[in-house]
Amino acid sequence: MSIRNLNALFSPDTIALIGASNRAGSVGAVLARNLFEGGFAGPILTVNPNERAIRSSLNYHTVSELPLAPDLAIIATPPDSVPGLIRELGERGCRAAVVITAGFGEGERADGKALKQAMLEAAKPYLMRIVGPNCLGILLPHRGINASFAHIMPQKGDIAFVTQSGAVATSILDWASARGIGFSHVVSLGSMSDVDFGDMLDYLALDPKTRSILIYMEAVTEARKFLSAARMASRNKPVVVVKAGRSDAGAKAALSHTGALAGSDAVYDAAFRRAGMLRVNTLDELFQAAGTLATGIRVKGDRLAILTNGGGAGVLAVDELADRQGHLAELSETTIERLDALLPKAWSHANPVDILGDAPGQRYAGALEALLDERGADAILVMNCPAAVADSLDAAQSVVATLGERRPAVLTCWLGEAAPAEARQLFAAKRIPTYQTPEQAIAAFSHLSNYWRNQQALMETPPAVADDIIIDKASAEAIIDSVLEDGRSVLTEPEAAAILSAYGIPTVAAIAVKTPEEASEAAKQLGFPVVLKILSRDISHKSDVGGVQLNLASSAAVSQAATDMLASVRRVAPEARVDGFNVQPMIRRPGAHELILGVAEDSVFGPIILFGQGGTAAEVIGDRVIGLPPLNPLLAKEMIRTTRISRLLQGYRDRPAVDLEAITLTLIKLSQLVCDLDRVAELDINPLLADSSGVVALDARIVVRDAHGQRRPLAIRPYPQQLERVIETRNGQRYALRPIRPEDEGALVDMLRHSSPDDVRLRFFAAIRSVDHAFAARLTQIDYDREMAFVAMTPGKQEIVGVVRLSADPDKEKAEFAIMVRSDMKGTGLGYRLMQQLLDYARDSGILQLYADILRENHAMRQMADEFGFVTQPVKDETDTVTVVLNL
């Protein structure tokens, strides 16, 4: 249900505590104490059948006796009583509940699961939202609400902390209290029977009191909702997550390499990157990262300059930087010359810039000023080690004075305990990030760099994929039909190769034969040398049973190899059915790299794509990265860049660089295959040979599912190609209409440039002199799951002449719309036709209400809304907008 009724949860006027108690040490007593002492300004009503008063406040014996309908109920009663209480509260008008009680299916107990379902069924008629069960509760310092059994009430702040673990919540509260860190929200989700991470991200993304969102996560429930909400929230404010359970122990066994290699944590990692979130590994890093991002400094790369008065500290920082895949900035000759003129002759003459242990503040100031002008550095780390011959505070004051009102990417690290105390206080007062150790400082820089990279991926506009890619989906589907009709799930190699060919992925020519004699004749046709492979519907990994022979140079060699292969298979896999042999030319590409591409299905996020170093040792090497489809060229290239083998692919010594565009295009084609063929359960291309001349798949393995085996949906809704069509206006003009794509940014900006300033102002409610990338990206990079924008294009041209847009709330009940037609196309009926298309889409999507805010002076838009049956809502006379609403 997402954010529906979450205002009752986080902004209640009246709270009821069901299960309040006077018994010292009980959960009900602690909850009562925390609620009454939290500072909440509204009524707090308690319910306990055996008490006259709770903490000197009149108690009620049942929910029906309550004199007011509570907006929020806190429930701490035995589990059997909870479904009935939820129903009673719903009948009274309560819209949100926090269920503290455990015993609702933890550990997979059937009776508990039945209780949880009964609780949800009781809440459903009243659209009542539930946090928990089995949770610590919620703490809202700005509202004075401590609806938890935590031992401490946090300070007011601008950090929201959302956690599945109550124990982690109390630990963090204690940790933050000692450091003076405040919160806007602390929410313990517990078992997440209803309210989950997606709901919280949707709510907190728009909360004005929250500047950053921190998450402790154990699992995601609804992947598409989570990713949709996370991508939206990450565009507005930093979202930092620590995920428990990072080992590969949960990786499932599978027939394909990809299924075996794709551990669940690697998939979570891919999801966090795709959503623009920053992932860290520890709770300490979680708050360190939040503190760093909260200072407002940002970096645009991973090149670091280090300024230090201690060589050893600088070396430690360099080591940590290398471990975190960062890079030392290369100082320009100009910077070196400036530093030479400022520093003693014994300075390091390189990065790290060691200005020696006796460096006074003035030396720090001069060196920092020079480094601030160094274009080869994305950030500067200024370090200080205490020394008897120099004043740490003087150095800190000089750094602060040098920066002045500027906010460049400068981090500080004053080592020690007592000596740097004042310096750290000074940095904190000026919101300059400061750390106690080189490792902490480098971790902070890594957080900034990773956050920048993820945000870039979230906002970058990909280039258009070539339109000449030919895909034969029907042929691929026919092959799958034939395999399933044969009672099989594993495709033979020729069948797998045919599916790859249908999606334009280069494969090796092959001839399938039945006998050793036929294999020998096929080899003659292809030309020697050849490769011989066993053809069996029951053998997945051919090399494991001696089913592959390479570099066969004669007919006799082929015949003998086939005979030996049959004997080997009968010995190692006697139950396997042998259908014959596959004969292929021996591919000689001596400088080529072996890669692996794959498809598998994650239990949470659905279909995933794998890329990495291939060959028979793929599992041992473990150089791979996971991505979530659909992919575009930028996402595919980022996957390639993340692997270790990517450095080899760029060429070295006498090996030329490979055709990276060919690898990128293959990943995109594979992504399209995933989106199109939902019956493909697992797929391996191993190896995919790649060199400067292109790529070719030498071997492929595909596992399919029948119609009864339902695939989990894609975690990110792909481009809805089925919505493409041609429309015609009332004057007979035809336009190509399709959903907007990220690569439409340039065409959209061009449309706005060719529209009058007044028309742009009427659409965006403000004069817009120029459209920057961030604004244009937000308009073109939409989440098709909750947004839609259709562009109208003149047939045969790549110019946009009209756009109509719909943005639904997370519940997908109400949606705001907007429409714009290029100025020279107004009056042609295009706007009217776009509005018809939008209404059809909204109805098909189950949206119940459309609305829009329109400037009063926009008479043409108001008239069109009237023609379509929109009702203008009453507004105050002094406002310059009106709201039109249509119930569908």
Side-chain angles (χ1 to χ4, degrees):
M1 284 195 290
S2 206
I3 62 172
R4 190 184 308 164
N5 284 333
L6 289 190
N7 59 322
L9 184 68
F10 297 121
S11 297
D13 292 325
T14 304
I15 301 175
L17 173 57
I18 320 297
S21 175
N22 288 319
R23 182 165 56 85
S26 67
V27 171
V30 174
L31 284 167
R33 182 196 67 200
N34 286 349
L35 270 173
F36 281 109
E37 295 179 0
F40 178 60
I44 297 173
L45 312 174
T46 63
V47 176
N48 184 313
N50 304 312
E51 298 283 357
R52 183 167 177 264
I54 300 289
R55 296 182 65 85
S56 299
S57 178
L58 182 63
N59 176 68
Y60 301 91
H61 293 160
T62 64
V63 169
S64 61
E65 291 181 17
L66 294 175
L68 298 171
D71 301 300
L72 170 64
I74 315 300
I75 300 177
T77 60
D80 290 346
S81 66
V82 172
L85 288 169
I86 291 291
R87 185 172 293 103
E88 283 188 80
L89 288 161
E91 291 170 351
R92 288 296 311 271
C94 183
R95 291 294 174 263
V98 176
V99 180
I100 306 293
T101 312
F104 288 83
E106 300 87 356
E108 301 298 311
R109 291 188 53 170
D111 54 346
K113 284 186 173 183
L115 268 179
K116 181 169 73 172
Q117 188 58 39
M119 175 185 70
L120 294 174
E121 292 294 331
K124 189 174 181 179
Y126 312 104
L127 303 179
M128 192 172 175
R129 306 310 306 275
I130 295 174
V131 171
N134 189 23
C135 70
L136 178 78
I138 62 174
L139 299 96
L140 312 171
H142 290 283
R143 292 299 307 272
I145 297 175
N146 184 352
S148 77
F149 58 93
H151 65 298
I152 193 170
M153 177 69 168
Q155 301 175 28
K156 295 178 183 178
D158 55 18
I159 296 174
F161 182 50
V162 184
T163 172
Q164 277 181 272
S165 166
V168 167
T170 54
S171 301
I172 288 298
L173 287 173
D174 205 70
W175 182 92
S177 177
R179 289 160 176 78
I181 296 173
F183 296 88
S184 63
H185 302 70
V186 177
V187 181
S188 167
L189 294 176
S191 299
M192 295 198 302
S193 63
D194 174 26
V195 177
D196 59 14
F197 286 115
D199 301 327
M200 291 304 307
L201 285 167
D202 270 323
Y203 181 85
L204 294 170
L206 302 177
D207 178 60
K209 289 185 172 62
T210 299
R211 291 183 58 187
S212 57
I213 304 168
L214 309 187
I215 292 174
Y216 168 82
M217 176 186 293
E218 293 170 3
V220 162
T221 47
E222 297 182 43
R224 180 173 286 187
K225 183 176 81 169
F226 167 74
L227 275 175
S228 183
R231 294 168 77 191
M232 190 72 71
S234 293
R235 291 179 186 271
N236 295 330
K237 55 194 69 172
V239 182
V240 188
V241 58
V242 60
K243 163 76 170 59
R246 291 185 288 119
S247 70
D248 285 341
K252 65 179 183 180
L255 287 173
S256 69
H257 288 289
T258 304
L261 290 175
S264 59
D265 188 68
V267 184
Y268 272 97
D269 211 39
F272 297 147
R273 287 197 313 270
R274 190 68 177 270
M277 304 165 76
L278 173 63
R279 182 180 187 177
V280 297
N281 292 330
T282 66
L283 291 172
D284 184 58
E285 275 193 287
L286 186 70
F287 278 85
Q288 292 283 6
T292 304
L293 292 168
T295 64
I297 70 167
R298 296 291 185 266
V299 303
K300 294 184 178 180
D302 60 2
R303 301 169 302 173
L304 182 66
I306 300 173
L307 173 60
T308 178
N309 70 340
V315 172
L316 287 174
V318 171
D319 288 344
E320 186 69 18
L321 183 67
D323 287 345
R324 290 180 176 266
Q325 284 76 53
H327 295 91
L328 271 179
E330 291 191 17
L331 302 184
S332 65
E333 290 185 12
T334 301
T335 300
I336 295 289
E337 289 172 2
R338 286 181 63 181
L339 292 170
D340 263 335
L342 291 167
L343 301 176
K345 290 184 179 180
W347 81 279
S348 61
H349 293 84
N351 184 19
V353 178
D354 183 357
I355 60 176
L356 309 182
D358 64 346
Q362 185 179 6
R363 197 182 298 171
Y364 266 96
L368 177 57
E369 193 65 61
L371 290 176
L372 287 170
D373 293 333
E374 174 55 69
R375 293 187 176 181
D378 299 306
I380 302 168
L381 170 60
V382 185
M383 303 177 68
N384 179 271
C385 303
V389 292
D391 185 349
S392 293
L393 181 58
D394 175 45
Q397 290 169 335
S398 295
V399 169
V400 170
T402 301
L403 294 178
E405 298 301 316
R406 293 179 291 181
R407 299 294 296 160
V410 173
L411 303 89
T412 63
C413 175
W414 259 231
L415 285 80
E417 191 62 39
E422 285 188 76
R424 289 176 185 152
Q425 291 173 4
L426 176 62
F427 290 136
K430 297 295 183 180
R431 294 189 68 216
I432 299 171
T434 189
Y435 308 93
Q436 297 181 359
T437 67
E439 292 78 14
Q440 288 180 350
I442 295 300
F445 172 67
S446 177
H447 297 153
L448 287 169
S449 180
N450 290 337
Y451 180 71
W452 166 80
R453 185 174 291 111
N454 291 350
Q455 286 290 302
Q456 286 294 106
L458 192 65
M459 298 294 288
E460 273 190 300
T461 301
V465 179
D467 292 329
D468 58 355
I469 297 176
I470 298 174
I471 290 176
D472 188 356
K473 179 183 175 184
S475 293
E477 294 278 18
I479 294 169
I480 295 173
D481 288 339
S482 175
V483 169
L484 293 175
E485 286 171 7
D486 195 30
R488 294 183 285 128
S489 61
V490 181
L491 276 65
T492 63
E493 186 183 353
E495 291 166 338
I499 285 185
L500 296 185
S501 296
Y503 276 80
I505 297 173
T507 58
V508 180
I511 300 176
V513 297
K514 296 287 188 182
T515 66
E517 293 75 22
E518 290 177 1
S520 178
E521 289 300 317
K524 292 179 184 178
Q525 296 179 41
L526 293 171
F528 297 102
V530 298
V531 176
L532 183 71
K533 300 177 183 177
I534 198 72
L535 197 56
S536 170
R537 67 194 71 186
D538 299 321
I539 297 173
S540 180
H541 298 287
K542 293 180 285 292
S543 57
D544 292 348
V545 297
V548 179
Q549 288 291 328
L550 306 176
N551 209 29
L552 300 173
S554 67
S555 296
V558 172
S559 180
Q560 185 62 51
T563 302
D564 293 344
M565 197 175 286
L566 287 173
S568 175
V569 170
R570 290 191 190 103
R571 184 176 64 256
V572 179
E575 302 299 322
R577 292 168 291 178
V578 175
D579 302 309
F581 306 91
N582 209 31
V583 187
Q584 298 173 321
M586 183 74 191
I587 303 299
R588 294 190 181 278
R589 294 169 84 161
H593 295 272
E594 291 189 332
L595 305 175
I596 181 172
L597 280 70
V599 173
E601 185 172 327
D602 182 70
S603 59
V604 176
F605 291 96
I608 60 171
I609 293 176
L610 175 141
F611 171 82
Q613 185 169 351
T616 55
E619 293 100 327
V620 178
I621 295 169
D623 178 23
R624 77 267 188 177
V625 64
I626 299 294
L628 299 180
L631 298 179
N632 60 39
L634 289 174
L635 293 168
K637 287 176 179 176
E638 178 63 16
M639 284 182 68
I640 297 168
R641 186 201 66 80
T642 306
T643 57
R644 296 191 300 275
I645 198 174
S646 65
R647 286 171 283 181
L648 301 180
L649 300 179
Q650 295 170 22
Y652 61 97
R653 293 184 180 174
D654 60 341
R655 294 185 75 173
V658 306
D659 186 347
L660 286 174
E661 291 300 321
I663 302 175
T664 301
L665 193 57
T666 304
L667 277 168
I668 292 170
K669 291 173 179 176
L670 190 62
S671 170
Q672 188 61 51
L673 184 153
V674 173
C675 295
D676 287 348
L677 307 179
D678 59 0
R679 291 184 293 176
V680 171
E682 297 176 14
L683 181 152
D684 271 349
I685 303 173
N686 184 27
L688 179 81
L689 284 190
D691 60 15
S692 58
S693 64
V695 299
V696 61
L698 294 193
D699 199 359
R701 183 179 300 106
I702 296 178
V703 181
V704 295
R705 61 168 64 81
D706 61 25
H708 301 294
Q710 182 122 18
R711 184 179 81 175
R712 286 183 176 272
L714 293 162
I716 299 171
R717 186 183 177 188
Y719 172 77
Q721 190 172 7
Q722 71 277 9
L723 297 177
E724 294 181 353
R725 64 202 58 196
V726 174
I727 59 172
E728 186 173 323
T729 62
R730 53 194 173 205
N731 66 1
Q733 179 64 46
R734 294 164 68 85
Y735 297 92
L737 186 81
R738 62 166 173 80
I740 202 166
R741 294 194 292 234
E743 54 265 34
D744 289 328
E745 180 179 324
L748 182 67
V749 171
D750 192 61
M751 172 192 159
L752 296 176
R753 286 177 183 154
H754 285 84
S755 295
S756 70
D758 199 48
D759 282 346
V760 174
R761 180 182 62 82
L762 291 176
R763 163 62 181 88
F764 294 105
F765 290 29
I768 299 177
R769 295 181 181 178
S770 64
V771 180
D772 63 17
H773 165 64
F775 180 68
R778 183 65 193 89
L779 295 176
T780 54
Q781 297 183 29
I782 66 172
D783 183 339
Y784 298 118
D785 199 47
R786 63 171 66 176
E787 299 174 87
M788 184 54 66
F790 292 101
V791 294
M793 311 185 80
T794 306
K797 297 182 180 180
Q798 293 302 310
E799 59 178 14
I800 296 174
V801 293
V803 183
V804 63
R805 183 178 303 274
L806 174 151
S807 181
D809 62 23
D811 306 316
K812 298 181 186 175
E813 287 203 341
K814 297 180 180 180
E816 185 176 12
F817 78 91
I819 189 169
M820 183 177 181
V821 172
R822 201 173 68 188
S823 296
D824 62 326
M825 303 298 293
K826 292 173 68 175
T828 63
L830 177 58
Y832 191 91
R833 186 65 186 86
L834 287 173
M835 194 67 205
Q836 284 181 319
Q837 177 65 31
L838 185 74
L839 288 171
D840 290 343
Y841 174 79
R843 289 190 177 97
D844 291 344
S845 301
I847 291 169
L848 303 181
Q849 186 183 87
L850 278 180
Y851 70 93
D853 293 328
I854 305 172
L855 287 172
R856 282 183 179 274
E857 62 186 283
N858 193 348
H859 301 293
M861 185 66 218
R862 293 177 64 184
Q863 180 180 346
M864 187 171 72
D866 287 341
E867 291 180 23
F868 278 99
F870 283 82
V871 176
T872 302
Q873 291 186 338
V875 292
K876 296 179 180 179
D877 292 338
E878 63 268 20
T879 60
D880 58 0
T881 63
V882 297
T883 300
V884 296
V885 176
L886 177 66
N887 293 318
L888 300 177

